[in-house]
Structure formats: structure tokens, C-alpha cells
Amino acid sequence: MATDASHADILAGTLRRLDQLVNWENANRRKMVPDLSPMNDLLARLANPEREFRSVHVTGTKGKGSVCALIEAGLIGAGFAVGRYASPHVESLNERISCFGDPIDDLMLSTALEQSLDAYGAAQTHGSPAKNATWFDVLTASAFFTFAKARVDWAVVEVGLGGRLDSTNVIQADVAVITNVGLEHTEVLGDCVEKIAYEKAGIIKEGSAVVTSLRPDTGAGAVVYEVARGRGAECHTPSISPGASIFEENATLARAALEQLGSRGVLSRARNALLGAPDLSDVLAGQVQLPGRSERYRMRPRSARRGGLGWGACRVCVGSHSK
């Protein structure tokens, strides 16, 4: 019988194959030319697993990972089988693909990656667009392959970069969430918030619902609302208090996304009861905890180390919660 150790060895071998592909997370993105044709070809070779589940698509400069985790928790709490795709990972690649609330195990991840890598190899042989698939393309295809095999009802999918030409933008999401827009990855997305907002608004699908913190009277918000109108999508900006914490802001957006699913008949009246919980933000601080997001560390100040004061003089630091 295979052991966890042997499964880890199998995955290690698969990751060596994966790491032969171009990985823009570790490369100069100025040379990046985003293109969805490799992704579409790759998925076609896998029998289009992305069509086997419904989805919520989340993008934004900050907060998107935490919002995804909250929406996942809400859907699981409502009784659905849920998958979540996120990036980047902190400790292991398995963190990026979750099924039923748990990270994918080594054997499942290896199996999905091998299927996608074989599809990539076939594309190289036949000279079709997937011959140019990247590391992220293959990993994304593997996530969708996993969700289809696991028969999830819903997938909560986090955009990797931007939105319009991101590898994840092959799904037909019922709800698109745009958490916020700031200057980021300007070498790929554009040199102003309006251009970046246009790229992020690219995840909006015809007739879908849009949830965003952006107001229509701002530069970025006006772009998002305009794109939504052009696609017959309803745009919703929930009220967020000026002094709201990152927890409260993320929880408000997640709640609004779940409410949109409810208004579209996805959640029954009974299941909608979870939306009325006043402490949804506590879910993020408690049971929904992502590695590297608002983790607390005790660090000894430099002066204490020099003076030999020991750990008694340390301070508490909070890790990044930008995701």
C-alpha cells in the first residue's frame, strides 16, 4: 500500500516536470505576453473540466485571497461541495487547490498535474496553442480537472494576475468580485488605475453579478461600472465604513457575493440564514486562516538582541494580510 512518503516522492517527480515550464511568478514580467489560447487548448484536451461546476471569480489588488476563503466557507456552510483555487502559496503548492475545505493531497495533486502535463506534451507534438502553456496555465488546468473529478458544486477562483487575460478567465462565473484597484504589475496591466481596472473588469461575464468596493464616482469604479453595463451585468457596491478594518472589508464583500448568489436563487431561504450572522468577519479571524495572512509573530527587536535582553523585550508583529 502506498504511503504518504511515497506520495510525496511521486509529487516531487511531477513538480520537476512542471518546473520545466515558464513560470512568470519567478521571471521578468516585462517579457510576459498574456494569451488565453494556450489555456483554452489545454482545457479542450482535458475535456473542458471548467464546464463541470459553477463558479465565483475574485480579483483585486488586495484582499482577494481572504475574500475567496470567506466565500468558500459560506458555501460550505450552506451545504455545497466547494473547491477553491488560490495563489500564491506560502508553504506548499497544495495550498493553491482546496476541495471540501481542505488542501489537495499529494497524490491527487500529482495525478491532476500529470494529466495536464500530458495534455501539454500532446500539444507540443501537434503544434497546437497549448504548446506555449505556462507553469500557471498547467496548474490552473489541474485545479479545474480536480474540481471536475471531485464533482464540486462550486469553485471559488482567485485571479492570478489582472483578470482579462489571466489563465483563470476561462470560467463563466455567476458572480465576479473586484475587491479594489491600486497600482500593481504596471509593466503588464497598465500605468494607471483606470487601465488596471479595465483588466480586472475583464472577468465580468454576460448577465452576471458584480460585487466591488469601488464606487462609480471614482476613476477605477467608473471603468468597472461601464464594463458591467456593457455586458448586462448588475454592479453592486456594498456599504463599507470609512474606518473598517481589513477583516470587516473582506467580510462585507464576501457577504455581498453570497447575497448575490442568494438573490439569484442559488441559496435557498434556509441556507441564506448564514448570511445574517453578524460575526462573519470572525470567520476570517478564526476558522478561515490563510498562511501568511494576518499571522502574528513574536520578534526580538534588534536592540534587544544587541543588549542581550532576551525574548522578554520582544514585540508582536502582524504578517501581511494584503491577500
Side-chain angles (χ1 to χ4, degrees):
M1 182 175 180
T3 65
D4 289 343
S6 63
H7 291 168
D9 291 339
I10 292 170
L11 177 58
T14 303
L15 293 181
R16 284 193 288 272
R17 280 186 70 189
L18 178 65
D19 287 341
Q20 298 305 307
L21 278 64
V22 173
N23 183 355
W24 290 112
E25 291 183 10
N26 299 323
N28 183 358
R29 286 178 173 156
R30 293 185 183 279
K31 299 179 180 179
M32 185 179 181
V33 181
D35 182 7
L36 284 178
S37 58
M39 189 67 189
N40 284 318
D41 182 30
L42 195 62
L43 289 171
R45 292 178 177 278
L46 293 169
N48 292 109
E50 78 285 2
R51 299 176 184 174
E52 299 301 314
F53 49 83
R54 297 173 74 176
S55 57
V56 177
H57 207 178
V58 183
T59 188
T61 299
K62 293 182 179 181
K64 56 184 179 291
S66 296
V67 169
C68 282
L70 279 167
I71 295 172
E72 175 195 34
L75 287 170
I76 290 174
F80 290 106
V82 185
R84 177 170 57 86
Y85 181 51
S87 62
H89 63 278
V90 176
E91 297 167 355
S92 73
L93 193 66
N94 307 59
E95 296 167 22
R96 297 195 184 212
I97 304 173
S98 297
C99 281
F100 318 120
D102 295 316
I104 189 172
D105 64 41
D106 288 350
L107 185 59
M108 288 177 65
L109 178 56
S110 179
T111 299
L113 285 170
E114 289 289 350
Q115 292 289 324
S116 298
L117 287 165
D118 287 347
Y120 165 73
Q124 287 189 309
T125 299
H126 295 98
S128 63
K131 71 181 188 297
N132 296 318
T134 65
W135 185 95
F136 190 71
D137 288 334
V138 168
L139 183 59
T140 303
S142 300
F144 296 161
F145 178 87
T146 298
F147 297 155
K149 289 298 182 182
R151 297 182 179 275
V152 304
D153 303 309
W154 286 88
V156 185
V157 178
E158 178 182 351
V159 165
L161 175 65
R164 183 174 64 91
L165 295 175
D166 186 71
S167 303
T168 63
N169 202 27
V170 292
I171 55 175
Q172 296 296 313
D174 291 67
V175 176
V177 181
I178 303 174
T179 59
N180 45 57
V181 172
L183 288 176
E184 57 164 334
H185 307 300
T186 53
E187 70 279 14
V188 178
L189 302 180
D191 58 3
C192 65
V193 292
E194 289 80 8
K195 291 179 181 178
I196 295 173
Y198 177 76
E199 293 300 320
K200 294 187 183 300
I203 69 170
I204 299 172
K205 301 302 187 295
E206 293 288 338
S208 64
V210 183
V211 172
T212 180
S213 68
L214 300 169
R215 299 189 311 276
D217 59 349
T218 63
V223 172
V224 171
Y225 270 74
E226 181 179 355
V227 171
R229 280 193 297 271
R231 296 178 185 173
E234 299 177 359
C235 213
H236 305 271
T237 298
S239 177
I240 299 174
S241 301
S245 68
I246 188 69
F247 298 113
E248 293 165 335
E249 182 174 335
N250 290 337
T252 298
L253 291 171
R255 189 193 303 277
L258 291 168
E259 287 172 345
Q260 287 309 308
L261 291 178
S263 68
R264 288 169 169 255
V266 172
L267 303 176
S268 69
R269 287 181 180 273
R271 287 169 171 168
N272 264 343
L274 69 93
L275 299 175
D279 59 349
L280 183 61
S281 59
D282 291 341
V283 177
L284 180 59
Q287 69 187 64
V288 177
Q289 180 61 61
L290 303 179
R293 279 75 155 184
S294 293
E295 288 188 298
R296 299 177 71 85
Y297 303 89
R298 294 187 68 83
M299 300 181 66
R300 182 167 39 171
R302 187 186 304 274
S303 59
R305 293 199 297 270
R306 287 198 302 265
L309 298 178
W311 289 100
C314 65
R315 63 174 179 265
V316 176
C317 300
V318 180
S320 169
H321 51 222
S322 63
K323 295 290 290 179

